[in-house]
Amino acid sequence: LEEDDIKGFREDFLDMHTYEQASFFREQPVELRRWIYGYLSPAEFAEIIESMDFEETLEYFTEMDPQYSGAIMTELPVDDAVDILSLLEKDEVASFLTLMDQESAEEIKLLLNYEEKTAGSIMTTEFIALYDTQTVEQVMKLLKEEAPDAEMIYYLYVVDEAKKIVGVLSIRDLIVSDYDALIKDVMSEWVITVSAGKNQEEVAQLFMDYDFLAVPVVDFQNHLIGIITVDDILDVVDEEASEDYSKLAGVADGEHHTDTPFEAAKKRLPWLIILLFLGLFTASLIGQFEETLEQVAVLAIFIPLIAGMAGNTGTQSLAVAVRGLATGNFGKQGKFKWLLRELGTGMITGGVSGVILAIVIFIWQQNLVLGLLVGVSIFASLIVATIAGAFIPILMDRLKIDPAVASGPFITTLNDITSILIYFGMATSFMSYLV
Amino acid sequence: LEEDDIKGFREDFLDMHTYEQASFFREQPVELRRWIYGYLSPAEFAEIIESMDFEETLEYFTEMDPQYSGAIMTELPVDDAVDILSLLEKDEVASFLTLMDQESAEEIKLLLNYEEKTAGSIMTTEFIALYDTQTVEQVMKLLKEEAPDAEMIYYLYVVDEAKKIVGVLSIRDLIVSDYDALIKDVMSEWVITVSAGKNQEEVAQLFMDYDFLAVPVVDFQNHLIGIITVDDILDVVDEEASEDYSKLAGVADGEHHTDTPFEAAKKRLPWLIILLFLGLFTASLIGQFEETLEQVAVLAIFIPLIAGMAGNTGTQSLAVAVRGLATGNFGKQGKFKWLLRELGTGMITGGVSGVILAIVIFIWQQNLVLGLLVGVSIFASLIVATIAGAFIPILMDRLKIDPAVASGPFITTLNDITSILIYFGMATSFMSYLV
């Protein structure tokens, strides 16, 4: 990468796909990155930004000349620009907007108003809208002019004079139609729209159910205000899945592989400290049974087994319920039926585990009462844990809270506590047979 | 739904989107479903099947006349037909293939050879290939004829005489080009292909990195043999995420909301029984310290706290590592650096938790030695657990095992065991100060 060989660099570099340009760029030290900004036009660099993880780009923007970064922001597809700006503080956003072309800045301001994770926040306003009175030939001509700018030309949405959406047309329909046909006659009137406030997860489900490549976004009066394309949905599906996964493990959303140990610890500690106090509460519960424990110390050795199995059973039924809720697989009365099914499942898993444990402990410890005690405790604990794992996310869903918030550690600890209460409660009741 | 009103039914029914047709059909009892089979052509019913969850369709196929089901299978896009057939037993597949149009049957037989979850198994062979010597006008004409059949016409792949892939062309490029231009001159030679054996998860990552709508699949000689479209990738992303999620919770992949309690229990019991025996092993370890326990019964009350926190810390670092491996975010030496980072993270989370615990226990139990013992145990356990959670998936990845297999329950139990060993090991060593 030599200073005086701008032309050679540009030729080699622009020959690569933007994704590879990004990989190359990323590996350069900051001084060379500054050279590259000088070598590329804002439009060229905007394409590289598009293929990057947006969090990563923030660093590069700070390295650039402000004029250059403003020009890049203008060149970016509005939905991407909005995604990047929404990572910044309010005053930083304001200063960016002043550096931008006024028209783009206005459009972005509008989009920034939509709440995060709604259809409005992931849509683009760079789409082609047709009128139902145009002919196929007119539209083909229009496409020739506008295709390079629009984000998606494979689905075209048709509006009436009031800009209300009335139909949809795929390029496929356009190509197989006669040139002089009216759009009105070749379009499909059957068009599914989403409102700008709709949750992005529900929009993604729509794409999966209907195999859409794009979906139009409308306001309350059914005016076409934007479109959402499948490439953004792919990111949504991936992001939502990551989120659910992280929540199940009790990791704060957004832990990044470039975080320092301090940043990572900061994101993990909240759950750990909650668990710590829940654990102390569990300890004080067991403390109530200290007398029982002093008389039959052997009881203690099964604490991790009982708590561990109850905790995991709860996580299993939690995971299945959260997935079921996320994919909308339960109907209305389906949720009650689901709890009944989980009761059945808990009785079977509890029964099998209880019988195995009772037999093994009887043989190992030569103590029938201890075997029965642990076996029955596991039976009861697993039933409670299974139902709790399913009931809590369903309850949260009913209360309009994201069920994935009922994360693994919480359910696990809850089930630790109930299982230990069951175990020591029973042990204390049947003390006379144990000693 | 009356018998003699076929025409009226067809009009109303065919007016709906296939997704809604499926919802309607699904709600009918089996007798009415049989009527519907009679009312719709195989091509019409094939479109409904396409929009369904394929597992669900198996039931419907058994209700149909064999000729009718064979005709539907012929009408389905080959990739969907393959997905459905791969759910059946070998002999059932064979009998289906004899009912089908021979050409389709041959194509399907070919695709069934590809291993599950590879590019070959999700690709379709219904694509349009162009020759680089054709003109834009010829291609537009070709599209008019073939568009209704091909699965994806938005990206067109260009081959030479030997059917080797040489370029790609989007409809967008086609529309903005002159009618008499040669394909060779308007296509992009920069085309990313995947080999038929490539893992579907890696293919999905490619779609996310490059925002593709389709990708061509090639054999070892670079011959174009199929294409993969983004709608199938959306399903792959969703499926892989579900799988990782289920594995983290220790639920067998593929638990379905229609499973009976017996089926659900069967899928959850394997992990529970493994945990049961690991739990018994843990119990026997604690049994080694029975003497310590008998002297200081209060030690027992902190077992769930220590095991629970170590288990959860391990799950946290496991989840972050599995996601990092899945998205390819670690470089080559990145993995060693990662373990170092996790060591740092573990020291911080362990340190903070340990200090809090030591203070709280000292105040609560008025026992400084017990507080220090629990605090230091948590400090050491959390470091070990954090590193174990990161190291095991990285090791599995190195051994070419899917790191998600190192699921939550396994890591949790492993960390239960190490933390209890640390705790009782230390308690036994410092016994003289505790009593």
Side-chain angles (χ1 to χ4, degrees):
Chain A
L1 200 63
E2 287 179 24
E3 196 188 338
D4 42 59
D5 191 20
I6 301 197
K7 200 164 158 250
F9 167 76
R10 283 182 52 86
E11 260 172 29
D12 290 350
F13 189 73
L14 294 175
D15 222 35
M16 294 193 277
H17 189 276
T18 49
Y19 177 73
E20 268 133 32
Q21 290 172 357
S23 309
F24 173 82
F25 171 79
R26 194 178 286 126
E27 282 162 20
Q28 306 308 315
V30 56
E31 312 83 57
L32 286 181
R33 290 206 296 262
R34 284 189 206 271
W35 284 121
I36 295 178
Y37 302 138
Y39 288 2
L40 298 176
S41 75
E44 285 158 355
F45 201 79
E47 286 192 34
I48 303 179
I49 295 277
E50 266 187 76
S51 75
M52 288 181 171
D53 188 8
F54 293 147
E55 292 212 10
E56 157 189 18
T57 66
L58 298 183
E59 186 190 340
Y60 307 140
F61 277 112
T62 61
E63 299 166 0
M64 298 172 193
D65 177 86
Q67 293 300 334
Y68 187 75
S69 64
I72 287 178
M73 208 49 98
T74 306
E75 293 288 345
L76 280 174
V78 271
D79 54 338
D80 291 340
V82 168
D83 286 347
I84 294 175
L85 289 175
S86 63
L87 298 172
L88 298 174
E89 299 297 321
K90 272 207 170 157
D91 55 328
E92 293 174 305
V93 173
S95 76
F96 245 120
L97 289 176
T98 59
L99 290 168
M100 292 177 62
D101 168 283
Q102 203 184 339
E103 196 190 335
S104 307
E106 288 301 322
E107 220 159 345
I108 284 175
K109 260 188 243 169
L110 211 77
L111 286 175
L112 279 172
N113 287 329
Y114 293 107
E115 240 179 294
E116 245 193 297
K117 305 204 170 184
T118 61
S121 73
I122 55 170
M123 74 182 184
T124 175
T125 50
E126 283 152 356
F127 60 89
I128 300 179
L130 310 177
Y131 291 100
D132 54 358
T133 48
Q134 289 175 296
T135 64
V136 169
E137 193 173 7
Q138 284 173 320
V139 171
M140 287 297 265
K141 224 169 131 191
L142 178 85
L143 281 183
K144 260 193 206 261
E145 287 156 23
E146 301 216 2
D149 268 341
E151 181 148 344
M152 159 65 74
I153 63 159
Y154 306 122
Y155 281 89
L156 303 166
Y157 298 100
V158 187
V159 292
D160 62 15
E161 292 115 68
K163 301 258 178 201
K164 291 194 184 185
I165 191 160
V166 292
V168 59
L169 187 73
S170 74
I171 279 253
R172 192 190 288 247
D173 301 327
L174 206 61
I175 286 178
V176 300
S177 301
D178 290 327
Y179 272 13
D180 48 4
L182 280 178
I183 292 301
K184 193 188 313 205
D185 300 323
V186 294
M187 74 182 194
S188 159
E189 283 168 35
W190 191 96
V191 48
I192 285 198
T193 59
V194 299
S195 66
K198 201 177 186 81
N199 184 294
Q200 64 175 9
E201 203 166 358
E202 291 171 51
V203 179
Q205 194 57 49
L206 211 63
F207 272 82
M208 285 194 262
D209 288 341
Y210 291 90
D211 285 350
F212 286 140
L213 290 182
V215 143
V217 183
V218 294
D219 64 13
F220 293 112
Q221 282 96 39
N222 217 26
H223 295 123
L224 180 60
I225 54 174
I227 65 169
I228 296 174
T229 53
V230 69
D231 54 313
D232 296 317
I233 291 300
L234 213 48
D235 296 335
V236 167
V237 173
D238 191 49
E239 178 190 324
E240 295 278 346
S242 272
E243 241 182 76
D244 287 356
Y245 187 83
S246 298
K247 278 180 190 150
L248 185 64
V251 187
D253 186 30
E255 183 172 332
H256 209 257
H257 69 289
T258 55
D259 285 348
T260 62
F262 285 96
E263 287 165 338
K266 210 174 128 193
K267 289 175 184 167
R268 296 185 197 174
L269 271 171
W271 258 122
L272 289 178
I273 290 177
I274 294 173
L275 284 189
L276 190 155
F277 284 99
L278 285 173
L280 283 170
F281 176 67
T282 314
S284 76
L285 281 180
I286 304 180
Q288 305 296 314
F289 300 100
E290 204 170 332
E291 217 175 293
T292 311
L293 261 173
E294 267 164 10
Q295 290 178 7
V296 198
V298 73
L299 282 178
I301 73 174
F302 297 107
I303 295 177
L305 187 154
I306 290 175
M309 287 199 59
N312 192 69
T313 303
T315 309
Q316 287 182 330
S317 79
L318 168 77
V320 180
V322 168
R323 291 304 303 173
L325 289 165
T327 54
N329 269 336
F330 305 141
K332 285 252 152 105
Q333 19 65 304
K335 285 170 196 164
F336 182 69
K337 253 194 189 158
W338 182 255
L339 290 176
L340 274 184
R341 193 204 89 158
E342 289 299 84
L343 173 65
T345 308
M347 289 176 70
I348 299 168
T349 53
V352 172
S353 307
V355 169
I356 296 177
L357 268 177
I359 294 171
V360 174
I361 293 172
F362 170 55
I363 294 170
W364 173 31
Q365 296 277 333
Q366 297 292 320
N367 186 337
L368 181 61
V369 180
L370 185 66
L372 283 178
L373 173 71
V374 176
V376 175
S377 297
I378 277 286
F379 176 65
S381 301
L382 262 48
I383 293 174
V384 174
T386 307
I387 292 177
F391 178 72
I392 289 176
I394 287 175
L395 179 72
M396 291 188 138
D397 188 58
R398 178 64 59 95
L399 299 174
K400 306 268 174 219
I401 304 171
D402 177 5
V405 172
S407 49
F410 176 68
I411 295 279
T412 303
T413 310
L414 188 79
N415 286 326
D416 276 5
I417 295 172
T418 54
S419 64
I420 284 167
L421 280 179
I422 292 172
Y423 177 52
F424 279 105
M426 288 187 43
T428 310
S429 311
F430 297 99
M431 190 51 117
S432 50
Y433 303 97
L434 274 165
V435 188
Chain B
L1 201 66
E2 286 181 21
E3 195 187 339
D4 43 57
D5 191 19
I6 300 195
K7 202 166 154 250
F9 167 76
R10 282 181 53 87
E11 261 171 28
D12 290 349
F13 189 74
L14 293 176
D15 224 34
M16 294 193 279
H17 189 275
T18 48
Y19 178 72
E20 268 132 32
Q21 291 174 354
S23 307
F24 173 84
F25 170 79
R26 195 178 285 126
E27 281 161 19
Q28 307 307 315
V30 56
E31 312 82 59
L32 286 182
R33 290 207 296 261
R34 283 188 209 273
W35 284 121
I36 294 178
Y37 302 138
Y39 288 1
L40 299 176
S41 74
E44 285 158 355
F45 201 80
E47 286 192 32
I48 303 179
I49 295 278
E50 265 185 77
S51 75
M52 289 179 169
D53 186 9
F54 294 146
E55 290 212 11
E56 154 190 20
T57 66
L58 297 182
E59 186 189 340
Y60 307 139
F61 277 112
T62 61
E63 299 167 2
M64 299 172 192
D65 176 86
Q67 293 299 333
Y68 186 75
S69 64
I72 286 178
M73 208 49 97
T74 306
E75 293 289 343
L76 280 173
V78 271
D79 54 339
D80 291 340
V82 168
D83 286 347
I84 295 176
L85 290 174
S86 63
L87 299 171
L88 299 173
E89 299 294 322
K90 272 210 169 157
D91 54 330
E92 293 174 305
V93 174
S95 76
F96 245 120
L97 289 176
T98 60
L99 290 167
M100 292 178 62
D101 167 286
Q102 203 182 339
E103 196 189 337
S104 307
E106 289 300 324
E107 219 159 347
I108 284 175
K109 257 189 247 171
L110 210 74
L111 285 175
L112 280 171
N113 286 330
Y114 292 107
E115 240 179 294
E116 244 192 298
K117 305 201 169 187
T118 60
S121 72
I122 54 171
M123 73 182 184
T124 174
T125 50
E126 281 150 359
F127 60 90
I128 300 178
L130 310 177
Y131 290 100
D132 54 358
T133 49
Q134 287 175 296
T135 65
V136 169
E137 192 173 7
Q138 284 173 321
V139 170
M140 289 296 267
K141 223 169 131 190
L142 178 84
L143 282 182
K144 261 194 205 257
E145 288 157 21
E146 301 216 2
D149 267 341
E151 182 151 342
M152 160 63 74
I153 63 158
Y154 307 121
Y155 282 89
L156 303 164
Y157 298 100
V158 186
V159 293
D160 62 15
E161 292 114 70
K163 302 258 176 200
K164 292 193 184 185
I165 191 160
V166 291
V168 58
L169 188 72
S170 75
I171 277 252
R172 189 190 289 247
D173 301 328
L174 207 60
I175 285 178
V176 300
S177 300
D178 291 327
Y179 273 14
D180 48 3
L182 279 178
I183 292 302
K184 191 189 314 206
D185 300 322
V186 295
M187 73 183 193
S188 159
E189 282 169 33
W190 192 94
V191 47
I192 285 199
T193 59
V194 299
S195 66
K198 198 175 187 81
N199 184 295
Q200 63 176 10
E201 206 167 355
E202 291 171 52
V203 179
Q205 193 57 48
L206 211 62
F207 272 81
M208 284 192 264
D209 288 341
Y210 290 89
D211 285 349
F212 286 140
L213 290 181
V215 143
V217 183
V218 294
D219 64 12
F220 293 111
Q221 281 96 38
N222 217 25
H223 294 123
L224 180 61
I225 56 175
I227 65 168
I228 297 174
T229 53
V230 68
D231 55 312
D232 296 317
I233 291 300
L234 214 47
D235 297 334
V236 168
V237 172
D238 191 50
E239 179 190 323
E240 295 278 346
S242 273
E243 241 182 74
D244 287 355
Y245 188 83
S246 299
K247 278 180 190 151
L248 185 64
V251 187
D253 186 31
E255 184 170 333
H256 208 258
H257 70 289
T258 54
D259 284 349
T260 63
F262 285 96
E263 287 164 337
K266 211 174 128 192
K267 289 174 184 168
R268 295 185 198 175
L269 271 171
W271 257 121
L272 290 178
I273 290 175
I274 293 173
L275 284 189
L276 189 154
F277 283 99
L278 285 173
L280 282 170
F281 175 67
T282 315
S284 76
L285 280 180
I286 304 180
Q288 305 294 314
F289 299 100
E290 206 170 332
E291 220 174 289
T292 311
L293 260 173
E294 266 163 13
Q295 291 177 6
V296 198
V298 73
L299 282 178
I301 72 176
F302 296 108
I303 295 177
L305 187 156
I306 291 173
M309 288 201 57
N312 192 69
T313 303
T315 309
Q316 287 182 328
S317 78
L318 168 78
V320 181
V322 167
R323 291 304 302 174
L325 289 167
T327 53
N329 268 337
F330 305 141
K332 284 253 152 100
Q333 18 65 303
K335 285 170 195 163
F336 182 69
K337 255 196 191 155
W338 182 256
L339 289 176
L340 274 185
R341 192 205 91 158
E342 288 300 83
L343 172 65
T345 308
M347 287 176 71
I348 299 168
T349 54
V352 173
S353 306
V355 168
I356 296 176
L357 269 177
I359 295 172
V360 173
I361 293 173
F362 169 55
I363 295 170
W364 173 32
Q365 296 276 332
Q366 298 292 319
N367 185 336
L368 180 63
V369 180
L370 184 65
L372 284 177
L373 173 72
V374 176
V376 175
S377 297
I378 276 287
F379 177 64
S381 301
L382 262 50
I383 293 174
V384 174
T386 307
I387 292 177
F391 178 71
I392 289 175
I394 287 175
L395 180 73
M396 288 186 139
D397 189 58
R398 178 63 60 94
L399 300 173
K400 307 268 175 220
I401 303 171
D402 177 5
V405 172
S407 48
F410 176 69
I411 295 281
T412 303
T413 310
L414 188 77
N415 285 326
D416 278 3
I417 295 173
T418 54
S419 63
I420 285 167
L421 280 179
I422 291 171
Y423 178 52
F424 279 104
M426 288 187 41
T428 310
S429 310
F430 297 99
M431 190 51 119
S432 48
Y433 303 96
L434 274 165
V435 187

